[in-house]
Amino acid sequence: MKILLAYDNSDYAEVAMERAARLSQTLDAQLFVISVIPELSCSAAGFPEGYCETINNAFAKECKELLDKACALLADKGIRAQSILEFGHPAGKILETAETLGADMIVLGSRGMHGIERFLLGSVSSKVAAHAKCDVLIARKR
């Protein structure tokens, strides 16, 4: 069995990591941890050439460190996890990666968006749950 954990270092992602860790141990599943960096559209914003690359590199470095930290926390629990860093639309990349891996389950946190914000933007967890070809566990803070 393969589990894909979406991780962004938020409180919700921490709860999702705990759930994914328990599932991984219980089911003796392979655990993959993904973090997705949204791509910046610098050309449309008029930023100087090279600015986006600098920002994206800084985000990538920070996200890589967060993924390493998450994998280290999981290793402390005896769980070997593989990290995946992607650029793009978070929901789309999570879905694409789950399909590529042949994941049996995606675990991610709930964000709790409300009202007009949810109507206009939707949420990553809602989009993943609606379009995933595997089971999805959406972890909520208690």
Side-chain angles (χ1 to χ4, degrees):
M1 179 172 205
K2 296 179 183 178
I3 298 172
L4 178 63
L5 166 65
Y7 186 78
D8 66 0
N9 199 42
S10 67
D11 290 342
Y12 297 98
E14 296 296 326
V15 173
M17 184 165 61
E18 287 297 320
R19 302 268 165 45
R22 273 189 270 148
L23 283 168
S24 177
Q25 289 173 321
T26 302
L27 302 171
D28 193 28
Q30 287 181 284
L31 184 58
F32 299 85
V33 185
I34 186 172
S35 188
V36 182
I37 302 167
E39 288 185 1
L40 299 175
S41 178
C42 290
S43 59
F47 290 113
E49 191 174 321
Y51 182 78
C52 271
E53 185 176 345
T54 301
I55 297 299
N56 282 334
N57 288 340
F59 280 143
K61 182 177 185 262
E62 183 176 334
C63 282
K64 176 74 171 105
E65 290 170 2
L66 292 174
L67 282 170
D68 290 346
K69 176 185 152 195
C71 288
L73 290 170
L74 290 163
D76 288 345
K77 297 177 185 208
I79 301 165
R80 187 169 166 257
Q82 189 173 347
S83 66
I84 301 167
L85 181 62
E86 292 284 348
F87 281 90
H89 185 270
K93 285 296 182 179
I94 291 166
L95 291 165
E96 180 183 308
T97 301
E99 195 164 331
T100 300
L101 290 173
D104 299 289
M105 179 179 287
I106 301 169
V107 180
L108 69 166
S110 167
R111 287 296 189 138
M113 293 171 85
H114 301 292
I116 193 73
E117 185 178 26
R118 182 180 199 111
F119 175 74
L120 292 174
L121 301 175
S123 72
V124 171
S125 58
S126 294
K127 289 176 184 172
V128 169
H131 300 288
K133 294 181 179 176
C134 62
D135 292 331
V136 177
L137 183 137
I138 300 173
R140 301 189 187 284
K141 286 177 30 175
R142 295 182 184 165

